[in-house]
Amino acid sequence: MENSKIGKRKLQAIETRNKILEAARHLISKHGFENVSVDAIVEAAAVSKGAFYVHFESKDALVAVLIDEYTNMADISYKSFIASLSEQKSVFDVLFMLAGKIADFIAEDIGYENMKVLYKAHLAKTINTMSAMSYNRKIYKLFIKVLEKGVSQGEIREDISVESLARHLILAVRGITFEWCIRYPEFDLKEEILDHFKILLYGLKSSIDKTALNSF
């Protein structure tokens, strides 16, 4: 009987936590992180403020959980996208198309307001954003896997490690995304990322093909 009560309490706790997260996702997606208060979250979730603090130390702690979720969701989406592509596509085509997929996810699924907050959190370090920054993220491993295939097929130069190449490609995405944040809404994120990747990928070719830059 006691075990049954404990089990029920655990289920209720999980349900409460999920309600808080779901309410936070909806409100933050609609209004942006900085415009959503703990009061608004608990009201939307129909739970007490005390219940909120049982599960999360602060709004920042809750947002750290949401960042983890978005990071995992993004990386799973990118992996599925790569798996859906034909094995016959060149590594350059795959990297170029992946860059476009990342741009779409950032602009459409995360959005300008939340990306702005994420960059601010990276700098201020008030929120744990390690899941998004870590070099152990699945997205790094995905880029490395694609680049390794390119090296083995003679498409990608061998004098720079694939780990270094992967980091630089992702640094390019991060840098352009930052530029998007400070120039929004005039700056077209996907267009700029794809233009930049044309230049980066052309420079990675093991043998220069002057028509390559226009082939994407």
Side-chain angles (χ1 to χ4, degrees):
M1 187 69 173
E2 188 64 27
N3 287 338
S4 175
K5 288 181 180 178
I6 292 171
K8 187 176 180 180
R9 283 200 296 270
K10 283 184 177 179
L11 287 174
Q12 288 174 336
I14 291 169
E15 182 181 352
T16 298
R17 186 177 188 275
N18 287 340
K19 285 168 68 176
I20 293 169
L21 285 170
E22 183 57 36
R25 284 189 206 100
H26 174 73
L27 291 172
I28 290 170
S29 175
K30 186 176 181 180
H31 304 292
F33 165 76
E34 294 180 326
N35 300 314
V36 175
S37 66
V38 171
D39 286 338
I41 293 169
V42 298
E43 181 179 349
V47 302
S48 69
K49 205 166 186 178
F52 178 94
Y53 287 110
V54 165
H55 296 282
F56 305 100
E57 292 181 1
S58 62
K59 188 177 78 166
D60 286 354
L62 181 147
V63 172
V65 172
L66 293 180
I67 289 171
D68 287 348
E69 287 187 355
Y70 272 113
T71 299
N72 289 330
M73 184 169 66
D75 289 351
I76 289 170
S77 176
Y78 304 149
K79 185 176 181 180
S80 297
F81 177 74
I82 291 294
S84 73
L85 299 178
S86 169
E87 286 288 326
Q88 304 307 313
K89 286 192 177 295
S90 76
V91 165
F92 289 93
D93 286 341
V94 171
L95 290 169
F96 185 75
M97 293 172 73
L98 177 57
K101 176 69 175 177
I102 293 170
D104 284 339
F105 190 90
I106 292 171
E108 297 169 14
D109 293 85
I110 299 177
Y112 162 72
E113 289 293 341
N114 291 321
M115 278 307 305
K116 186 173 67 172
V117 170
L118 179 58
Y119 275 103
K120 183 177 178 180
H122 283 324
L123 293 171
K125 301 188 185 303
T126 55
I127 301 171
N128 184 354
T129 61
M130 186 52 65
S131 62
M133 295 189 338
S134 173
Y135 288 133
N136 289 320
R137 261 191 75 176
K138 292 176 185 176
I139 190 172
Y140 282 96
K141 295 175 182 178
L142 190 59
F143 268 99
I144 288 169
K145 185 177 180 181
V146 174
L147 288 163
E148 284 176 339
K149 181 179 178 182
V151 171
S152 69
Q153 294 178 168
E155 293 183 77
I156 300 290
R157 57 193 292 177
E158 300 181 28
D159 59 323
I160 305 174
S161 73
V162 291
E163 290 81 9
S164 180
L165 292 177
R167 289 187 184 188
H168 279 280
L169 291 175
I170 294 173
L171 279 172
V173 173
R174 283 213 176 110
I176 295 169
T177 303
F178 177 79
E179 192 77 4
W180 174 61
C181 286
I182 63 176
R183 297 187 185 277
Y184 183 88
E186 290 81 15
F187 193 90
D188 188 312
L189 177 65
K190 186 171 184 177
E191 180 182 331
E192 296 294 340
I193 283 179
L194 292 182
D195 281 349
H196 197 64
F197 261 63
K198 285 180 185 179
I199 298 169
L200 288 177
L201 297 176
Y202 184 71
L204 293 178
K205 289 185 71 66
S206 57
S207 58
I208 299 298
D209 176 358
K210 296 191 181 205
T211 65
L213 193 56
N214 298 316
S215 68
F216 293 105

